[in-house]
Tab-separated table of all heavy atoms in Angstrom:
chain	number	residue	atom	x	y	z
A	1	LYS	N	133.369	111.366	41.853
A	1	LYS	CA	132.254	112.251	41.414
A	1	LYS	C	132.335	113.485	42.248
A	1	LYS	O	132.951	113.519	43.320
A	1	LYS	CB	130.943	111.567	41.617
A	1	LYS	CG	130.759	110.224	40.803
A	1	LYS	CD	129.476	109.570	41.147
A	1	LYS	CE	129.301	108.211	40.329
A	1	LYS	NZ	128.099	107.529	40.736
A	2	PRO	N	131.561	114.472	41.870
A	2	PRO	CA	131.582	115.743	42.710
A	2	PRO	C	131.137	115.443	44.182
A	2	PRO	O	131.596	116.168	45.136
A	2	PRO	CB	130.587	116.642	42.029
A	2	PRO	CG	130.596	116.224	40.592
A	2	PRO	CD	130.842	114.768	40.625
A	3	ASP	N	130.250	114.466	44.330
A	3	ASP	CA	129.729	114.147	45.678
A	3	ASP	C	130.299	112.817	46.176
A	3	ASP	O	129.730	112.202	47.155
A	3	ASP	CB	128.252	114.089	45.677
A	3	ASP	CG	127.617	113.027	44.793
A	3	ASP	OD1	128.408	112.416	43.998
A	3	ASP	OD2	126.396	112.752	44.909
A	4	GLU	N	131.373	112.301	45.584
A	4	GLU	CA	131.925	110.963	46.052
A	4	GLU	C	133.394	110.856	45.979
A	4	GLU	O	133.976	111.206	44.931
A	4	GLU	CB	131.293	109.800	45.233
A	4	GLU	CG	131.842	108.456	45.689
A	4	GLU	CD	131.281	107.321	44.756
A	4	GLU	OE1	130.602	107.596	43.734
A	4	GLU	OE2	131.534	106.134	45.088
A	5	VAL	N	134.030	110.407	47.067
A	5	VAL	CA	135.416	109.971	47.042
A	5	VAL	C	135.432	108.513	47.298
A	5	VAL	O	134.883	108.047	48.285
A	5	VAL	CB	136.191	110.706	48.080
A	5	VAL	CG1	137.644	110.235	48.168
A	5	VAL	CG2	136.240	112.270	47.842
A	6	PHE	N	136.117	107.808	46.329
A	6	PHE	CA	136.181	106.283	46.465
A	6	PHE	C	137.580	105.957	47.026
A	6	PHE	O	138.566	106.498	46.507
A	6	PHE	CB	136.006	105.825	45.032
A	6	PHE	CG	136.002	104.296	44.906
A	6	PHE	CD1	134.885	103.549	45.377
A	6	PHE	CD2	136.980	103.617	44.262
A	6	PHE	CE1	134.847	102.157	45.265
A	6	PHE	CE2	136.990	102.250	44.120
A	6	PHE	CZ	135.881	101.521	44.589
A	7	LEU	N	137.606	105.114	48.011
A	7	LEU	CA	138.859	104.787	48.657
A	7	LEU	C	139.204	103.321	48.441
A	7	LEU	O	138.341	102.419	48.619
A	7	LEU	CB	138.767	105.055	50.186
A	7	LEU	CG	138.374	106.423	50.600
A	7	LEU	CD1	138.234	106.459	52.129
A	7	LEU	CD2	139.294	107.498	50.130
A	8	CYS	N	140.501	103.022	48.163
A	8	CYS	CA	140.955	101.680	48.124
A	8	CYS	C	141.906	101.543	49.309
A	8	CYS	O	142.858	102.299	49.472
A	8	CYS	CB	141.732	101.419	46.829
A	8	CYS	SG	142.348	99.710	46.724
A	9	VAL	N	141.628	100.536	50.208
A	9	VAL	CA	142.371	100.326	51.439
A	9	VAL	C	142.880	98.933	51.510
A	9	VAL	O	142.448	98.039	50.776
A	9	VAL	CB	141.457	100.698	52.675
A	9	VAL	CG1	140.821	102.076	52.561
A	9	VAL	CG2	140.325	99.659	52.798
A	10	ASN	N	143.820	98.746	52.444
A	10	ASN	CA	144.397	97.403	52.616
A	10	ASN	C	143.383	96.426	53.203
A	10	ASN	O	142.624	96.826	54.126
A	10	ASN	CB	145.644	97.432	53.458
A	10	ASN	CG	146.804	98.026	52.667
A	10	ASN	OD1	147.275	97.439	51.675
A	10	ASN	ND2	147.354	99.125	53.126
A	11	ALA	N	143.453	95.172	52.761
A	11	ALA	CA	142.467	94.193	53.184
A	11	ALA	C	142.516	94.014	54.748
A	11	ALA	O	141.407	93.981	55.345
A	11	ALA	CB	142.761	92.830	52.541
A	12	SER	N	143.679	93.918	55.313
A	12	SER	CA	143.777	93.601	56.733
A	12	SER	C	143.331	94.814	57.644
A	12	SER	O	143.037	94.681	58.778
A	12	SER	CB	145.152	93.202	57.051
A	12	SER	OG	146.109	94.253	56.676
A	13	ASN	N	143.227	95.979	56.988
A	13	ASN	CA	142.858	97.190	57.729
A	13	ASN	C	141.482	97.692	57.372
A	13	ASN	O	140.999	98.745	57.838
A	13	ASN	CB	143.844	98.355	57.441
A	13	ASN	CG	145.231	98.022	57.923
A	13	ASN	OD1	145.385	97.233	58.934
A	13	ASN	ND2	146.269	98.500	57.282
A	14	ARG	N	140.747	96.987	56.469
A	14	ARG	CA	139.501	97.462	55.950
A	14	ARG	C	138.489	97.851	57.042
A	14	ARG	O	137.971	98.937	57.025
A	14	ARG	CB	138.899	96.346	55.033
A	14	ARG	CG	137.465	96.490	54.678
A	14	ARG	CD	136.941	95.215	54.006
A	14	ARG	NE	135.548	95.083	54.048
A	14	ARG	CZ	134.897	94.008	53.716
A	14	ARG	NH1	135.528	92.949	53.306
A	14	ARG	NH2	133.551	93.931	53.762
A	15	HIS	N	138.280	96.927	58.014
A	15	HIS	CA	137.302	97.200	59.022
A	15	HIS	C	137.802	98.279	59.964
A	15	HIS	O	137.008	99.103	60.431
A	15	HIS	CB	136.951	95.901	59.775
A	15	HIS	CG	136.367	94.855	58.886
A	15	HIS	ND1	135.151	94.995	58.272
A	15	HIS	CD2	136.871	93.605	58.486
A	15	HIS	CE1	134.893	93.910	57.533
A	15	HIS	NE2	135.883	93.041	57.703
A	16	THR	N	139.081	98.291	60.239
A	16	THR	CA	139.668	99.292	61.127
A	16	THR	C	139.511	100.697	60.513
A	16	THR	O	139.105	101.634	61.210
A	16	THR	CB	141.149	99.029	61.373
A	16	THR	OG1	141.255	97.726	61.979
A	16	THR	CG2	141.817	100.105	62.294
A	17	VAL	N	139.853	100.836	59.218
A	17	VAL	CA	139.764	102.167	58.578
A	17	VAL	C	138.288	102.568	58.431
A	17	VAL	O	137.980	103.791	58.675
A	17	VAL	CB	140.385	102.060	57.111
A	17	VAL	CG1	140.123	103.357	56.344
A	17	VAL	CG2	141.906	101.790	57.283
A	18	PHE	N	137.374	101.656	58.108
A	18	PHE	CA	136.046	101.999	58.001
A	18	PHE	C	135.504	102.511	59.386
A	18	PHE	O	134.861	103.621	59.417
A	18	PHE	CB	135.142	100.803	57.591
A	18	PHE	CG	133.728	101.030	57.522
A	18	PHE	CD1	133.166	101.538	56.336
A	18	PHE	CD2	132.828	100.774	58.570
A	18	PHE	CE1	131.780	101.864	56.295
A	18	PHE	CE2	131.514	101.100	58.553
A	18	PHE	CZ	130.944	101.585	57.376
A	19	ALA	N	135.804	101.876	60.451
A	19	ALA	CA	135.369	102.316	61.745
A	19	ALA	C	135.964	103.638	62.129
A	19	ALA	O	135.285	104.463	62.719
A	19	ALA	CB	135.663	101.204	62.807
A	20	TRP	N	137.266	103.801	61.812
A	20	TRP	CA	137.937	105.069	62.154
A	20	TRP	C	137.330	106.220	61.429
A	20	TRP	O	136.967	107.295	62.000
A	20	TRP	CB	139.401	104.952	61.821
A	20	TRP	CG	140.166	106.220	62.096
A	20	TRP	CD1	140.513	107.176	61.226
A	20	TRP	CD2	140.846	106.594	63.343
A	20	TRP	NE1	141.296	108.188	61.834
A	20	TRP	CE2	141.479	107.834	63.161
A	20	TRP	CE3	140.850	106.018	64.653
A	20	TRP	CZ2	142.173	108.491	64.144
A	20	TRP	CZ3	141.566	106.635	65.631
A	20	TRP	CH2	142.203	107.869	65.352
A	21	LEU	N	137.105	106.073	60.118
A	21	LEU	CA	136.485	107.093	59.313
A	21	LEU	C	135.008	107.392	59.752
A	21	LEU	O	134.646	108.521	59.896
A	21	LEU	CB	136.493	106.788	57.826
A	21	LEU	CG	137.896	106.593	57.187
A	21	LEU	CD1	137.749	106.280	55.691
A	21	LEU	CD2	138.740	107.885	57.346
A	22	ALA	N	134.289	106.321	59.986
A	22	ALA	CA	132.937	106.468	60.455
A	22	ALA	C	132.806	107.295	61.743
A	22	ALA	O	131.834	108.128	61.968
A	22	ALA	CB	132.262	105.167	60.568
A	23	ASP	N	133.793	107.056	62.592
A	23	ASP	CA	133.793	107.738	63.893
A	23	ASP	C	134.242	109.177	63.834
A	23	ASP	O	133.806	110.027	64.625
A	23	ASP	CB	134.748	107.002	64.857
A	23	ASP	CG	134.201	105.712	65.410
A	23	ASP	OD1	132.917	105.484	65.236
A	23	ASP	OD2	134.953	104.936	65.964
A	24	HIS	N	135.014	109.508	62.778
A	24	HIS	CA	135.577	110.896	62.752
A	24	HIS	C	135.067	111.781	61.606
A	24	HIS	O	135.285	112.931	61.608
A	24	HIS	CB	137.066	110.765	62.586
A	24	HIS	CG	137.752	110.238	63.873
A	24	HIS	ND1	137.964	108.898	64.088
A	24	HIS	CD2	138.301	110.854	64.933
A	24	HIS	CE1	138.581	108.698	65.235
A	24	HIS	NE2	138.812	109.883	65.729
A	25	LEU	N	134.312	111.182	60.624
A	25	LEU	CA	133.739	111.982	59.577
A	25	LEU	C	132.532	112.759	60.088
A	25	LEU	O	131.818	112.309	60.912
A	25	LEU	CB	133.293	111.140	58.370
A	25	LEU	CG	134.444	110.562	57.476
A	25	LEU	CD1	133.906	109.493	56.535
A	25	LEU	CD2	135.085	111.721	56.676
A	26	PRO	N	132.350	113.984	59.586
A	26	PRO	CA	131.126	114.774	59.938
A	26	PRO	C	129.877	114.108	59.438
A	26	PRO	O	129.857	113.326	58.506
A	26	PRO	CB	131.395	116.095	59.315
A	26	PRO	CG	132.289	115.850	58.146
A	26	PRO	CD	133.127	114.700	58.572
A	27	LYS	N	128.790	114.491	60.010
A	27	LYS	CA	127.440	113.910	59.612
A	27	LYS	C	126.984	114.350	58.312
A	27	LYS	O	125.999	113.855	57.783
A	27	LYS	CB	126.429	114.226	60.706
A	27	LYS	CG	126.724	113.694	62.082
A	27	LYS	CD	125.578	113.815	63.055
A	27	LYS	CE	125.949	113.332	64.472
A	27	LYS	NZ	126.268	111.912	64.433
A	28	SER	N	127.705	115.320	57.663
A	28	SER	CA	127.331	115.805	56.343
A	28	SER	C	127.677	114.764	55.209
A	28	SER	O	127.201	114.957	54.099
A	28	SER	CB	128.002	117.130	56.059
A	28	SER	OG	129.455	116.910	56.084
A	29	VAL	N	128.414	113.738	55.582
A	29	VAL	CA	128.778	112.692	54.605
A	29	VAL	C	128.414	111.302	55.179
A	29	VAL	O	128.304	111.165	56.369
A	29	VAL	CB	130.218	112.721	54.190
A	29	VAL	CG1	130.552	114.045	53.535
A	29	VAL	CG2	131.166	112.487	55.464
A	30	SER	N	128.276	110.364	54.274
A	30	SER	CA	128.052	108.980	54.625
A	30	SER	C	129.193	108.136	54.088
A	30	SER	O	129.858	108.525	53.190
A	30	SER	CB	126.696	108.457	54.040
A	30	SER	OG	126.764	108.507	52.633
A	31	ILE	N	129.416	106.998	54.749
A	31	ILE	CA	130.479	106.069	54.296
A	31	ILE	C	129.878	104.683	54.100
A	31	ILE	O	129.090	104.229	54.908
A	31	ILE	CB	131.668	106.067	55.268
A	31	ILE	CG1	132.756	105.158	54.747
A	31	ILE	CG2	131.235	105.748	56.664
A	31	ILE	CD1	134.088	105.254	55.478
A	32	GLU	N	130.182	104.062	52.976
A	32	GLU	CA	129.704	102.699	52.694
A	32	GLU	C	130.872	101.779	52.359
A	32	GLU	O	131.763	102.181	51.616
A	32	GLU	CB	128.745	102.816	51.468
A	32	GLU	CG	128.194	101.449	51.023
A	32	GLU	CD	127.423	101.545	49.768
A	32	GLU	OE1	127.301	102.625	49.143
A	32	GLU	OE2	126.908	100.493	49.234
A	33	ASP	N	130.843	100.610	52.890
A	33	ASP	CA	131.819	99.560	52.580
A	33	ASP	C	131.319	98.736	51.406
A	33	ASP	O	130.334	98.033	51.509
A	33	ASP	CB	132.055	98.672	53.769
A	33	ASP	CG	133.280	97.743	53.541
A	33	ASP	OD1	133.643	97.522	52.416
A	33	ASP	OD2	133.810	97.164	54.610
A	34	GLN	N	131.945	98.880	50.228
A	34	GLN	CA	131.504	98.170	49.004
A	34	GLN	C	132.360	96.960	48.766
A	34	GLN	O	132.183	96.348	47.739
A	34	GLN	CB	131.539	99.153	47.879
A	34	GLN	CG	130.723	100.383	47.929
A	34	GLN	CD	130.769	101.250	46.690
A	34	GLN	OE1	131.793	101.471	46.155
A	34	GLN	NE2	129.529	101.717	46.249
A	35	SER	N	133.254	96.622	49.653
A	35	SER	CA	134.260	95.610	49.375
A	35	SER	C	133.651	94.253	48.942
A	35	SER	O	134.183	93.566	48.124
A	35	SER	CB	135.148	95.397	50.636
A	35	SER	OG	135.660	96.647	51.105
A	36	ASP	N	132.583	93.834	49.594
A	36	ASP	CA	132.023	92.496	49.387
A	36	ASP	C	131.276	92.441	48.069
A	36	ASP	O	130.903	91.330	47.662
A	36	ASP	CB	131.103	92.104	50.586
A	36	ASP	CG	131.920	91.863	51.849
A	36	ASP	OD1	133.075	91.520	51.740
A	36	ASP	OD2	131.336	91.927	52.907
A	37	ALA	N	130.977	93.575	47.463
A	37	ALA	CA	130.240	93.588	46.218
A	37	ALA	C	131.146	93.774	44.976
A	37	ALA	O	130.710	93.601	43.864
A	37	ALA	CB	129.263	94.728	46.229
A	38	LEU	N	132.386	94.054	45.290
A	38	LEU	CA	133.369	94.365	44.173
A	38	LEU	C	134.514	93.430	44.069
A	38	LEU	O	135.017	92.960	45.148
A	38	LEU	CB	133.896	95.766	44.255
A	38	LEU	CG	132.855	96.882	44.142
A	38	LEU	CD1	133.549	98.266	44.394
A	38	LEU	CD2	132.215	96.931	42.675
A	39	CYS	N	134.991	93.166	42.925
A	39	CYS	CA	136.317	92.518	42.725
A	39	CYS	C	137.266	93.525	42.137
A	39	CYS	O	136.875	94.530	41.600
A	39	CYS	CB	136.197	91.323	41.743
A	39	CYS	SG	135.463	89.884	42.503
A	40	LEU	N	138.584	93.283	42.262
A	40	LEU	CA	139.621	94.135	41.819
A	40	LEU	C	140.656	93.336	41.034
A	40	LEU	O	141.301	92.437	41.659
A	40	LEU	CB	140.214	94.924	42.910
A	40	LEU	CG	141.425	95.835	42.525
A	40	LEU	CD1	141.041	96.825	41.484
A	40	LEU	CD2	141.933	96.583	43.815
A	41	LEU	N	140.754	93.560	39.750
A	41	LEU	CA	141.754	92.902	38.924
A	41	LEU	C	142.777	93.940	38.455
A	41	LEU	O	142.393	95.094	38.158
A	41	LEU	CB	141.141	92.245	37.668
A	41	LEU	CG	139.958	91.280	37.970
A	41	LEU	CD1	139.446	90.751	36.677
A	41	LEU	CD2	140.415	90.135	38.891
């Protein structure tokens, strides 16, 4: 969406990537982990 970028990341790195992005992204954006709410087929 104009205001959303959706990321697909590796399972074993999910928490690492989330923490890395959360630490380095500016405060103008938010990051949400949707992994536990979604399935992927």
Side-chain angles (χ1 to χ4, degrees):
K1 299 175 183 176
D3 63 348
E4 180 185 6
V5 175
F6 184 71
L7 306 176
C8 183
V9 305
N10 283 298
S12 56
N13 296 329
R14 165 188 159 191
H15 299 296
T16 301
V17 174
F18 178 85
W20 180 265
L21 295 180
D23 285 346
H24 292 88
L25 284 168
K27 296 188 184 301
S28 60
V29 296
S30 63
I31 182 169
E32 179 188 0
D33 188 343
Q34 297 182 318
S35 310
D36 292 337
L38 297 174
C39 281
L40 176 56
L41 307 179

